[in-house]
Amino acid sequence: MDFYPHDVEQLAQHFRILGEPARLQILAALCDQERSVQDICQRTGLHQANASKHLRMMKDTGVVACRKKGVWHYYRIVAPEVLSLCLRAQKSLKQAETPLVPDNSLMEIIEQQ
Amino acid sequence: MDFYPHDVEQLAQHFRILGEPARLQILAALCDQERSVQDICQRTGLHQANASKHLRMMKDTGVVACRKKGVWHYYRIVAPEVLSLCLRAQKSLKQAETPLVPDNSLMEIIEQQ
DNA sequence: ATAGTATATAACTAATTAGCAATATAGTCA
DNA sequence: TGACTATATTGCTAATTAGTTATATACTAT
C-alpha cells in the first residue's frame, strides 16, 4: 500500500469528516432520504447553527449536497461510499469486540482488494 | 442506519485515527510487516517524537500494537479493518474523480451490506 | 410593510492536537 | 562506569474546530 501526496490528503479529509460523532449522526439521518436542517436537528439533537456548520463542512468536501426549496434547504448524501465505510467499520468493530482479529491476516486483507 | 451512542463514539474515534495524513502514511508503512520507529520515520519523513506520539495514539485506540526487542520497538497493525477501509475509500475517491456518483444509489449501498 | 420562520454566518470560548525542541528513559557495548 | 543509540515524554506554539449565542439573510404569509 502506498499513497500519492494528493491522495493521502484527500483520503484524510474524508476520514476526518467521519471522525466526529455529530457528523456520523447527520449521515445516519440522511442515509435513506434528503432532509431539511430542521429535520436533521430534531433527529440528532444538534443546535441549528452547529448542524449548519457541520453540513457546510460536509458539503465543502463533497459528501453532501443541498437543494433549496423556498426557505427549506434539503441536504442529501452524494458520496454514498461514506455510508459503506461506516457500515463496514461498524461491523468490524463489533466483530473485534470479543474474538480480536489475529495479527497475521494483513496480507489477506490487502490481497482481497 | 442508526447508531447506539457508544458505537458512534467508537466509530468516530477510529475514523479520527485515519483522518490525519501522517497516520495514514504510518499505516502504509506497516501494511505488510512490523517496523521499528526508526524505520517508520525514514519511510514517512516524520520526526521521531512526532511519530512516537502518533503511534501512541494508534496503540491507545487499538489500531497498532508494539513488540519490544531490546532497544527497538516494533509496531504492527492489529486492526486490519483499517487497511481495508483505506483501500476502499481510496478506490471510491478515485472513481468519483471523473464520473461522479449518482445521487439515488444510497439504498443500494445500504442493502448490499 | 411587518411578523414569523428557516438557514447561514460571525464572534467567541474551550478543547484538541500536530509539529518541534529538549529532555528523560532504557537498552547496548566498549 | 561511560558513551551511544532508540524510544518516550514533556513543554511549548500554532492551528483547527466543536459548541454556543447573537445576528444576518432570505423566503412566506398576512
Side-chain angles (χ1 to χ4, degrees):
Chain A
M1 195 168 73
D2 211 357
F3 295 125
Y4 291 105
H6 170 264
D7 285 359
V8 79
E9 269 296 343
Q10 198 188 16
L11 247 192
Q13 192 186 4
H14 277 252
F15 282 129
R16 199 150 41 228
I17 290 292
L18 303 180
E20 176 61 35
R23 287 192 288 270
L24 290 180
Q25 285 167 336
I26 290 177
L27 287 176
L30 297 180
C31 76
D32 56 345
Q33 56 181 295
E34 65 175 15
R35 294 195 189 276
S36 69
V37 178
Q38 277 295 312
D39 194 350
I40 293 168
C41 288
Q42 286 175 2
R43 287 167 187 274
T44 60
L46 295 173
H47 284 200
Q48 181 266 318
N50 198 15
S52 198
K53 216 160 61 169
H54 284 303
L55 287 165
R56 167 77 191 268
M57 184 180 298
M58 295 164 85
K59 194 178 68 177
D60 287 347
T61 70
V63 172
V64 303
C66 184
R67 174 178 73 91
K68 299 179 186 177
K69 176 83 175 179
V71 167
W72 286 271
H73 296 194
Y74 294 100
Y75 284 88
R76 67 182 183 280
I77 295 175
V78 290
E81 321 84 86
V82 298
L83 292 182
S84 172
L85 290 175
C86 289
L87 292 168
R88 273 211 147 212
Q90 198 183 23
K91 195 184 293 180
S92 298
L93 288 177
K94 274 215 161 43
Q95 285 175 351
E97 268 172 20
T98 17
L100 267 181
V101 188
D103 287 356
N104 51 8
S105 52
L106 300 187
M107 288 314 293
E108 293 171 26
I109 296 275
I110 300 285
E111 284 156 7
Q112 278 171 16
Q113 304 291 323
Chain B
M1 196 168 73
D2 212 357
F3 295 124
Y4 290 106
H6 170 264
D7 286 359
V8 79
E9 268 298 341
Q10 198 188 16
L11 248 192
Q13 191 186 3
H14 277 251
F15 281 129
R16 200 153 37 229
I17 289 291
L18 303 179
E20 177 61 36
R23 288 191 289 267
L24 290 179
Q25 285 167 336
I26 290 176
L27 287 176
L30 298 180
C31 77
D32 56 344
Q33 55 181 297
E34 65 175 14
R35 293 193 190 278
S36 69
V37 178
Q38 278 293 314
D39 194 349
I40 293 169
C41 288
Q42 286 173 3
R43 288 168 185 273
T44 60
L46 294 172
H47 284 201
Q48 182 266 319
N50 198 14
S52 198
K53 218 160 60 168
H54 284 303
L55 287 165
R56 168 79 193 267
M57 186 180 297
M58 294 164 84
K59 193 178 67 175
D60 287 347
T61 69
V63 171
V64 304
C66 183
R67 175 178 72 91
K68 299 178 186 176
K69 175 82 175 179
V71 168
W72 285 271
H73 296 194
Y74 295 100
Y75 284 89
R76 67 183 184 280
I77 296 176
V78 290
E81 327 76 90
V82 299
L83 293 181
S84 172
L85 290 176
C86 289
L87 293 168
R88 274 213 147 210
Q90 199 182 23
K91 194 185 293 181
S92 299
L93 287 176
K94 273 213 161 45
Q95 286 175 351
E97 270 172 17
T98 16
L100 268 180
V101 188
D103 287 355
N104 49 8
S105 51
L106 301 187
M107 285 317 290
E108 292 170 26
I109 298 274
I110 300 285
E111 283 155 9
Q112 276 170 18
Q113 305 291 324

